[in-house]
Amino acid sequence: MELWIKKIESASTLEELESLRVDTLGKKGVLTVEFAKMKDIPAEDKKSFAENLNKQKEQVTKALDSKKIELEAIALDKKLQNEKIDVTRFNNEITSGATHPVAETMNKIITYFQNLNFAVEEGPLVEDDFHNFQALNLPEYHPARDMADTFYNKDYTLLRTHTSPVQIRTMLSQKAPIRMIAPGTVFRRDFDITHTPMFHQIEGLVVDCADKISFANLKHVMVEFLQHIFGEVEVRFRPSYFPFTEPSAEVDISCVFCKGNGCRVCSQTGWLEVLGCGVVDQNVFDAVGYKDKSGYAFGLGVERFAMLIHSIGDLRSLFESDTRLLGQFK
Ligand code: PHE
């Protein structure tokens, strides 16, 4: 029996142990076979024979039981080890989103003007001819209508080509003084490296009594604003034309400036156009019934600002939802 007990003690798996149990205590096991011999044992020897066998059976049973407990504990350990959950790993796998560069730029500009006490106004994306063109001093057949390639709907409404109609809506519904910005989506029939059919603008309008608002006020606000956004750039006002402002200007920033994550994309001239602005044309005040007023207005493209701030070369990449680009803005 000692041999069997040794075998039991050195069993390394529960399966092995089970087959040792069958070999010893099973129907045809060595001990069962021994017990069967009882009937042939002379009566006087039966007692000691049985005692001896029972003792052996007890030893084998004990060895089997304790080995079973040991092997079960090992098996359980192994199972737990395999199913172990590393709770610290979950954090690594959760990825957070990021603010889209256009939204981020928009929010930055809105916040800047809110701090200067500008109200935020909104208007509809589907506009009519009056608000998008006529009231802005763009009568029918006016050549300047070609400046924007318009999406027209069947019912003679159109998708607004700029945020300037919000100037009209605000002046029609509020009395001067007005100090507002209008951020929003606009649409033009255009598609190339610097144009997408849908993009975003921020409009600005300041109106007060006649002679109170001048080009000098506009210039000051624009220079301060552009230097807040782009750092220590030079700002240049170039005479230009918009039907709704007179005089009008396009504003450029110098692009010699390199700071933070490198140099900004630069043009040959050393100047980059960033916005349009001017003194509100008298015809616009006439269209909304404003008398004896003066004001200035400006309009800028949010994508253009985002591209300059982040050195993005192709405008279209802002709308492709490519996580390789968006992931950089976390
Ligand atoms: N609406 C003009 C554009 O879309 C921008 C602008 C706004 C210019 C206000 C002057 C004043 O290009």
Side-chain angles (χ1 to χ4, degrees), residues 162 164 167 188 201 203 242 244-245 276-278 297-299:
H162 49 180
S164 301
Q167 288 189 33
R188 287 183 197 175
Q201 286 189 333
E203 190 84 9
F242 297 104
F244 30 90
T245 47
C277 61
F298 58 89

Side-chain angles (χ1 to χ4, degrees), residues 68-167:
K68 194 173 179 199
I69 291 169
E70 188 188 319
L71 289 177
E72 275 176 353
I74 291 171
L76 181 65
D77 253 7
K78 218 174 178 173
K79 196 173 171 211
L80 289 176
Q81 203 64 40
N82 285 341
E83 292 174 4
K84 196 168 145 186
I85 295 169
D86 181 358
V87 288
T88 62
R89 286 196 56 185
F90 279 95
N91 269 341
N92 302 337
E93 284 164 16
I94 293 170
T95 55
S96 60
T99 308
H100 191 281
V102 173
E104 179 217 72
T105 304
M106 197 136 169
N107 290 339
K108 197 171 171 180
I109 298 172
I110 291 171
T111 304
Y112 179 83
F113 284 105
Q114 278 181 322
N115 287 336
L116 289 183
N117 227 4
F118 282 65
V120 178
E121 301 290 348
E122 280 181 312
L125 305 188
V126 177
E127 267 295 4
D128 52 38
D129 193 89
F130 173 77
H131 293 91
N132 196 81
F133 292 125
Q134 295 233 13
L136 288 162
N137 196 28
L138 273 141
E140 221 175 331
Y141 304 120
H142 191 289
R145 284 200 180 201
D146 293 345
M147 280 163 72
D149 293 300
T150 313
F151 284 111
Y152 285 97
N153 299 315
K154 280 187 179 152
D155 59 359
Y156 297 107
T157 59
L158 49 88
L159 300 183
R160 68 178 183 194
T161 56
H162 49 180
T163 41
S164 301
V166 186
Q167 288 189 33

Side-chain angles (χ1 to χ4, degrees), residues 17-73:
L17 190 68
E18 174 59 11
S19 81
L20 286 168
R21 190 193 62 79
V22 173
D23 290 346
T24 49
L25 302 173
K27 262 187 194 159
K28 289 174 187 162
V30 283
L31 275 167
T32 317
V33 171
E34 284 302 300
F35 271 108
K37 288 179 183 163
M38 277 278 273
K39 58 180 190 317
D40 305 324
I41 300 289
E44 64 270 27
D45 297 333
K46 261 195 173 77
K47 197 179 169 212
S48 66
F49 182 83
E51 265 176 12
N52 183 33
L53 268 185
N54 275 327
K55 214 165 140 193
Q56 289 185 37
K57 186 184 174 183
E58 209 175 287
Q59 284 172 350
V60 168
T61 308
K62 223 168 140 186
L64 282 168
D65 285 351
S66 69
K67 193 69 193 179
K68 194 173 179 199
I69 291 169
E70 188 188 319
L71 289 177
E72 275 176 353

Side-chain angles (χ1 to χ4, degrees), residues 214-234:
S214 71
F215 196 92
N217 301 137
L218 167 66
K219 199 171 173 188
H220 173 75
V221 171
M222 291 299 102
V223 171
E224 291 289 312
F225 162 61
L226 291 171
Q227 289 179 342
H228 170 78
I229 298 289
F230 295 112
E232 283 160 27
V233 287
E234 279 179 62

